[in-house]
Amino acid sequence: HRPVTGFDLLHADARAVLDAWRPPDPAQAILAQEYLAHLRSYPLAMSRDNAPGHLTGSALVVDEDRTRTLLTLHPRVGRWLQLGGHCEPADLSLRGTALREAREESGIDGVAISDEPLRLDRHALTCSGGPTVHWDVQYLAVVGRDARESISAESDDLRWFPLDALPAGVDDSVRALVDAVLAPDGTSG
């Protein structure tokens, strides 16, 4: 037996989160089952070193009025994205990963994050030197209207955008997150 690591604890948390999650639509339900299958197939699925793909945590940061979102201009991707990134061995949960990333990339300490994921998004990209897949678990994060952001070294730019006027060329995943926040059926938590 190998010793239990932080990634093992994150792996167990990810399975529990996805087992308990109530997806907002059939497509997300299918995707959740695919995430669970990926976790069953790859014991190291929480580590960025898992070349076939690894889970990540992200958060769409909105102001408390839910009229604006804080997006980062990702240096490698060259597009406006929600805040987020790789799991670290010290993270205790996927939710914790998303919260840590939101705080680090926004410079805002007072971030409240949803208890459950808002959406899932799987996308292929080049990461850690080769092609892989990010299995992103996406949360909603809310900050006070007077919160002051501070750009991190992980971003080319950091800006607030109205939810109904996102920048040109914004990633489809961000649009889906914003649509979920604006959904009248209360799926935004």
Side-chain angles (χ1 to χ4, degrees), residues 42-136:
Y42 297 100
L44 295 177
M46 305 309 292
S47 170
R48 74 178 81 203
D49 295 331
N50 193 60
H54 42 273
L55 274 70
T56 55
S58 70
L60 184 72
V61 175
V62 299
D63 64 353
E64 64 188 300
D65 298 324
R66 295 187 185 202
T67 59
R68 301 179 304 151
T69 185
L70 185 64
L71 301 178
T72 180
L73 184 58
H74 195 280
R76 233 178 329 187
V77 178
R79 299 177 87 166
W80 291 100
L81 301 174
Q82 76 276 14
L83 309 182
H86 292 106
C87 298
E88 300 293 341
D91 292 336
L92 300 176
S93 65
L94 274 171
R95 182 176 178 266
T97 296
L99 178 59
R100 176 184 52 76
E101 289 286 344
R103 287 178 176 159
E104 287 176 1
E105 293 184 3
S106 72
I108 301 170
D109 288 329
V111 178
I113 195 159
S114 59
D115 290 332
E116 298 179 355
L118 186 58
R119 294 186 47 78
L120 304 176
D121 184 75
R122 179 179 57 204
H123 46 275
L125 71 163
T126 300
C127 174
S128 301
T132 190
V133 175
H134 276 182
W135 298 71
D136 197 29

Side-chain angles (χ1 to χ4, degrees), residues 3-18:
V4 174
T5 68
F7 286 131
D8 294 321
L9 299 175
L10 277 168
H11 196 277
D13 173 73
R15 287 191 322 268
V17 166
L18 293 166

Side-chain angles (χ1 to χ4, degrees), residues 6 28 34 44 50 81 149 151 169 171:
Q28 286 283 291
E34 292 171 0
L44 295 177
N50 193 60
L81 301 174
E149 71 280 2
I151 193 167
D171 191 81

